[in-house]
Amino acid sequence: MITITRVALATPATMTADAYRELCWGAGLDLTATGYGLLLAYDDGSGDVVTAVVDDIEYARLLAESTGVTVPAHKIIRSLPDWPDLRPEAVTVWP
């Protein structure tokens, strides 16, 4: 399980076509018509910071309106450890 600290929507409707394509390519995700919810979170087991991906956009929208929510593992389709690179000197920025 993870505890969310921030939510971003990565969808064709919230990004330019090029930005959406690049994000999917960089994260290893398939291009879809609906997009993804990106959850910046803490892994409750390890305490590591992770970016979890959900493909249920409405669920991601609900999560964006809440704080400190714990998300069950079955909702997460992919986990991106160390992505984006959150070190201050890193060039990658959180969307």
Side-chain angles (χ1 to χ4, degrees), residues 25-51:
W25 176 82
L29 300 168
D30 293 329
L31 294 172
T32 68
T34 56
Y36 301 95
L38 304 177
L39 315 176
L40 182 60
Y42 291 101
D43 182 308
D44 294 337
S46 68
D48 293 336
V49 174
V50 297
T51 300

Side-chain angles (χ1 to χ4, degrees), residues 9-34:
L9 298 179
T11 72
T14 61
M15 305 175 80
T16 67
D18 288 340
Y20 177 66
R21 188 172 33 258
E22 289 294 317
L23 180 132
C24 288
W25 176 82
L29 300 168
D30 293 329
L31 294 172
T32 68
T34 56

Side-chain angles (χ1 to χ4, degrees), residues 1-18:
M1 298 235 266
I2 62 170
T3 301
I4 299 167
T5 59
R6 190 165 175 197
V7 175
L9 298 179
T11 72
T14 61
M15 305 175 80
T16 67
D18 288 340

